PDB file of all heavy atoms in Angstrom:
ATOM      1  N   ASP D 159      -1.694   5.075  -3.438  1.00 98.00           N
ATOM      2  CA  ASP D 159      -2.341   5.994  -4.371  1.00 98.00           C
ATOM      3  C   ASP D 159      -1.772   5.905  -5.790  1.00 98.00           C
ATOM      4  O   ASP D 159      -0.575   6.079  -5.991  1.00 98.00           O
ATOM      5  CB  ASP D 159      -2.181   7.437  -3.874  1.00 98.00           C
ATOM      6  CG  ASP D 159      -2.686   7.625  -2.453  1.00 98.00           C
ATOM      7  OD1 ASP D 159      -2.984   6.618  -1.796  1.00 98.00           O
ATOM      8  OD2 ASP D 159      -2.779   8.783  -2.024  1.00 98.00           O
ATOM      9  N   THR D 160      -2.643   5.658  -6.743  1.00 98.00           N
ATOM     10  CA  THR D 160      -2.234   5.692  -8.150  1.00 98.00           C
ATOM     11  C   THR D 160      -3.466   5.946  -9.012  1.00 98.00           C
ATOM     12  O   THR D 160      -4.565   5.496  -8.681  1.00 98.00           O
ATOM     13  CB  THR D 160      -1.531   4.378  -8.568  1.00 98.00           C
ATOM     14  OG1 THR D 160      -0.950   4.551  -9.874  1.00 98.00           O
ATOM     15  CG2 THR D 160      -2.494   3.199  -8.618  1.00 98.00           C
ATOM     16  N   GLY D 161      -3.283   6.681 -10.104  1.00 98.00           N
ATOM     17  CA  GLY D 161      -4.413   6.977 -10.981  1.00 98.00           C
ATOM     18  C   GLY D 161      -4.708   5.855 -11.948  1.00 98.00           C
ATOM     19  O   GLY D 161      -5.826   5.728 -12.460  1.00 98.00           O
ATOM     20  N   LYS D 162      -3.694   5.043 -12.221  1.00 98.00           N
ATOM     21  CA  LYS D 162      -3.888   3.911 -13.131  1.00 98.00           C
ATOM     22  C   LYS D 162      -2.851   2.839 -12.837  1.00 98.00           C
ATOM     23  O   LYS D 162      -1.875   3.077 -12.124  1.00 98.00           O
ATOM     24  CB  LYS D 162      -3.772   4.372 -14.589  1.00 98.00           C
ATOM     25  CG  LYS D 162      -2.407   4.900 -14.953  1.00 98.00           C
ATOM     26  CD  LYS D 162      -2.307   5.213 -16.451  1.00 98.00           C
ATOM     27  CE  LYS D 162      -0.902   5.716 -16.783  1.00 98.00           C
ATOM     28  NZ  LYS D 162      -0.713   6.050 -18.197  1.00 98.00           N
ATOM     29  N   VAL D 163      -3.070   1.666 -13.405  1.00 98.00           N
ATOM     30  CA  VAL D 163      -2.117   0.562 -13.282  1.00 98.00           C
ATOM     31  C   VAL D 163      -1.631   0.228 -14.684  1.00 98.00           C
ATOM     32  O   VAL D 163      -2.429  -0.158 -15.543  1.00 98.00           O
ATOM     33  CB  VAL D 163      -2.782  -0.676 -12.639  1.00 98.00           C
ATOM     34  CG1 VAL D 163      -1.785  -1.822 -12.519  1.00 98.00           C
ATOM     35  CG2 VAL D 163      -3.347  -0.332 -11.259  1.00 98.00           C
ATOM     36  N   ASP D 164      -0.334   0.404 -14.933  1.00 98.00           N
ATOM     37  CA  ASP D 164       0.184   0.116 -16.278  1.00 98.00           C
ATOM     38  C   ASP D 164       0.857  -1.263 -16.303  1.00 98.00           C
ATOM     39  O   ASP D 164       0.941  -1.950 -15.287  1.00 98.00           O
ATOM     40  CB  ASP D 164       1.122   1.238 -16.753  1.00 98.00           C
ATOM     41  CG  ASP D 164       2.370   1.357 -15.884  1.00 98.00           C
ATOM     42  OD1 ASP D 164       2.753   0.352 -15.235  1.00 98.00           O
ATOM     43  OD2 ASP D 164       2.976   2.447 -15.852  1.00 98.00           O
ATOM     44  N   ASP D 165       1.341  -1.634 -17.492  1.00 98.00           N
ATOM     45  CA  ASP D 165       1.917  -2.976 -17.655  1.00 98.00           C
ATOM     46  C   ASP D 165       3.148  -3.194 -16.784  1.00 98.00           C
ATOM     47  O   ASP D 165       3.355  -4.286 -16.254  1.00 98.00           O
ATOM     48  CB  ASP D 165       2.281  -3.222 -19.121  1.00 98.00           C
ATOM     49  CG  ASP D 165       1.041  -3.410 -19.981  1.00 98.00           C
ATOM     50  OD1 ASP D 165      -0.048  -3.610 -19.399  1.00 98.00           O
ATOM     51  OD2 ASP D 165       1.154  -3.358 -21.213  1.00 98.00           O
ATOM     52  N   ALA D 166       3.963  -2.153 -16.658  1.00 98.00           N
ATOM     53  CA  ALA D 166       5.182  -2.296 -15.849  1.00 98.00           C
ATOM     54  C   ALA D 166       4.819  -2.562 -14.385  1.00 98.00           C
ATOM     55  O   ALA D 166       5.476  -3.355 -13.704  1.00 98.00           O
ATOM     56  CB  ALA D 166       6.047  -1.042 -15.957  1.00 98.00           C
ATOM     57  N   MET D 167       3.753  -1.914 -13.925  1.00 98.00           N
ATOM     58  CA  MET D 167       3.315  -2.141 -12.543  1.00 98.00           C
ATOM     59  C   MET D 167       2.780  -3.557 -12.380  1.00 98.00           C
ATOM     60  O   MET D 167       3.059  -4.236 -11.384  1.00 98.00           O
ATOM     61  CB  MET D 167       2.237  -1.117 -12.159  1.00 98.00           C
ATOM     62  CG  MET D 167       2.770   0.309 -12.064  1.00 98.00           C
ATOM     63  SD  MET D 167       1.435   1.534 -12.103  1.00 98.00           S
ATOM     64  CE  MET D 167       0.614   1.201 -10.551  1.00 98.00           C
ATOM     65  N   LEU D 168       2.008  -4.009 -13.376  1.00 98.00           N
ATOM     66  CA  LEU D 168       1.480  -5.383 -13.318  1.00 98.00           C
ATOM     67  C   LEU D 168       2.630  -6.384 -13.281  1.00 98.00           C
ATOM     68  O   LEU D 168       2.608  -7.352 -12.521  1.00 98.00           O
ATOM     69  CB  LEU D 168       0.572  -5.667 -14.525  1.00 98.00           C
ATOM     70  CG  LEU D 168      -0.778  -4.964 -14.553  1.00 98.00           C
ATOM     71  CD1 LEU D 168      -1.491  -5.227 -15.877  1.00 98.00           C
ATOM     72  CD2 LEU D 168      -1.664  -5.409 -13.381  1.00 98.00           C
ATOM     73  N   TYR D 169       3.654  -6.115 -14.082  1.00 98.00           N
ATOM     74  CA  TYR D 169       4.808  -7.008 -14.131  1.00 98.00           C
ATOM     75  C   TYR D 169       5.514  -7.034 -12.769  1.00 98.00           C
ATOM     76  O   TYR D 169       5.865  -8.100 -12.257  1.00 98.00           O
ATOM     77  CB  TYR D 169       5.768  -6.555 -15.239  1.00 98.00           C
ATOM     78  CG  TYR D 169       6.955  -7.451 -15.389  1.00 98.00           C
ATOM     79  CD1 TYR D 169       6.825  -8.715 -15.961  1.00 98.00           C
ATOM     80  CD2 TYR D 169       8.213  -7.050 -14.939  1.00 98.00           C
ATOM     81  CE1 TYR D 169       7.913  -9.559 -16.082  1.00 98.00           C
ATOM     82  CE2 TYR D 169       9.312  -7.879 -15.059  1.00 98.00           C
ATOM     83  CZ  TYR D 169       9.157  -9.133 -15.631  1.00 98.00           C
ATOM     84  OH  TYR D 169      10.239  -9.967 -15.742  1.00 98.00           O
ATOM     85  N   ALA D 170       5.703  -5.837 -12.195  1.00 98.00           N
ATOM     86  CA  ALA D 170       6.385  -5.756 -10.892  1.00 98.00           C
ATOM     87  C   ALA D 170       5.627  -6.545  -9.827  1.00 98.00           C
ATOM     88  O   ALA D 170       6.227  -7.200  -8.976  1.00 98.00           O
ATOM     89  CB  ALA D 170       6.535  -4.297 -10.467  1.00 98.00           C
ATOM     90  N   MET D 171       4.299  -6.494  -9.874  1.00 98.00           N
ATOM     91  CA  MET D 171       3.487  -7.117  -8.810  1.00 98.00           C
ATOM     92  C   MET D 171       3.111  -8.566  -9.098  1.00 98.00           C
ATOM     93  O   MET D 171       2.521  -9.235  -8.236  1.00 98.00           O
ATOM     94  CB  MET D 171       2.197  -6.297  -8.607  1.00 98.00           C
ATOM     95  CG  MET D 171       2.443  -4.894  -8.099  1.00 98.00           C
ATOM     96  SD  MET D 171       0.894  -4.030  -7.690  1.00 98.00           S
ATOM     97  CE  MET D 171       0.247  -3.636  -9.321  1.00 98.00           C
ATOM     98  N   SER D 172       3.451  -9.058 -10.298  1.00 98.00           N
ATOM     99  CA  SER D 172       2.945 -10.371 -10.710  1.00 98.00           C
ATOM    100  C   SER D 172       3.391 -11.484  -9.761  1.00 98.00           C
ATOM    101  O   SER D 172       4.462 -11.421  -9.169  1.00 98.00           O
ATOM    102  CB  SER D 172       3.402 -10.689 -12.139  1.00 98.00           C
ATOM    103  OG  SER D 172       4.806 -10.740 -12.183  1.00 98.00           O
ATOM    104  N   HIS D 173       2.557 -12.487  -9.642  1.00 98.00           N
ATOM    105  CA  HIS D 173       2.829 -13.674  -8.825  1.00 98.00           C
ATOM    106  C   HIS D 173       3.007 -13.369  -7.342  1.00 98.00           C
ATOM    107  O   HIS D 173       3.726 -14.090  -6.653  1.00 98.00           O
ATOM    108  CB  HIS D 173       4.045 -14.449  -9.356  1.00 98.00           C
ATOM    109  CG  HIS D 173       3.888 -14.867 -10.791  1.00 98.00           C
ATOM    110  ND1 HIS D 173       2.945 -15.779 -11.195  1.00 98.00           N
ATOM    111  CD2 HIS D 173       4.524 -14.457 -11.909  1.00 98.00           C
ATOM    112  CE1 HIS D 173       3.021 -15.930 -12.503  1.00 98.00           C
ATOM    113  NE2 HIS D 173       3.966 -15.136 -12.965  1.00 98.00           N
ATOM    114  N   SER D 174       2.400 -12.306  -6.861  1.00 98.00           N
ATOM    115  CA  SER D 174       2.449 -12.060  -5.413  1.00 98.00           C
ATOM    116  C   SER D 174       1.499 -13.017  -4.705  1.00 98.00           C
ATOM    117  O   SER D 174       0.538 -13.517  -5.291  1.00 98.00           O
ATOM    118  CB  SER D 174       2.014 -10.625  -5.097  1.00 98.00           C
ATOM    119  OG  SER D 174       2.950  -9.702  -5.608  1.00 98.00           O
ATOM    120  N   HIS D 175       1.801 -13.265  -3.435  1.00 98.00           N
ATOM    121  CA  HIS D 175       0.905 -14.069  -2.599  1.00 98.00           C
ATOM    122  C   HIS D 175      -0.122 -13.195  -1.902  1.00 98.00           C
ATOM    123  O   HIS D 175      -1.185 -13.663  -1.528  1.00 98.00           O
ATOM    124  CB  HIS D 175       1.714 -14.845  -1.554  1.00 98.00           C
ATOM    125  CG  HIS D 175       2.724 -15.762  -2.175  1.00 98.00           C
ATOM    126  ND1 HIS D 175       3.960 -15.322  -2.610  1.00 98.00           N
ATOM    127  CD2 HIS D 175       2.664 -17.084  -2.453  1.00 98.00           C
ATOM    128  CE1 HIS D 175       4.631 -16.348  -3.121  1.00 98.00           C
ATOM    129  NE2 HIS D 175       3.864 -17.430  -3.039  1.00 98.00           N
ATOM    130  N   GLN D 176       0.259 -11.911  -1.689  1.00 98.00           N
ATOM    131  CA  GLN D 176      -0.658 -10.999  -1.012  1.00 98.00           C
ATOM    132  C   GLN D 176      -0.595  -9.643  -1.707  1.00 98.00           C
ATOM    133  O   GLN D 176       0.476  -9.196  -2.129  1.00 98.00           O
ATOM    134  CB  GLN D 176      -0.269 -10.841   0.464  1.00 98.00           C
ATOM    135  CG  GLN D 176      -0.155 -12.188   1.188  1.00 98.00           C
ATOM    136  CD  GLN D 176      -0.168 -12.019   2.695  1.00 98.00           C
ATOM    137  OE1 GLN D 176      -1.150 -11.560   3.274  1.00 98.00           O
ATOM    138  NE2 GLN D 176       0.920 -12.402   3.360  1.00 98.00           N
TER     139      GLN D 176
END
Side-chain angles (χ1 to χ4, degrees):
D159 305 10
T160 190
K162 64 174 181 180
V163 180
D164 64 24
D165 288 346
M167 292 163 67
L168 289 174
Y169 182 73
M171 296 187 285
S172 62
H173 303 294
S174 293
H175 301 82
Q176 306 196 63

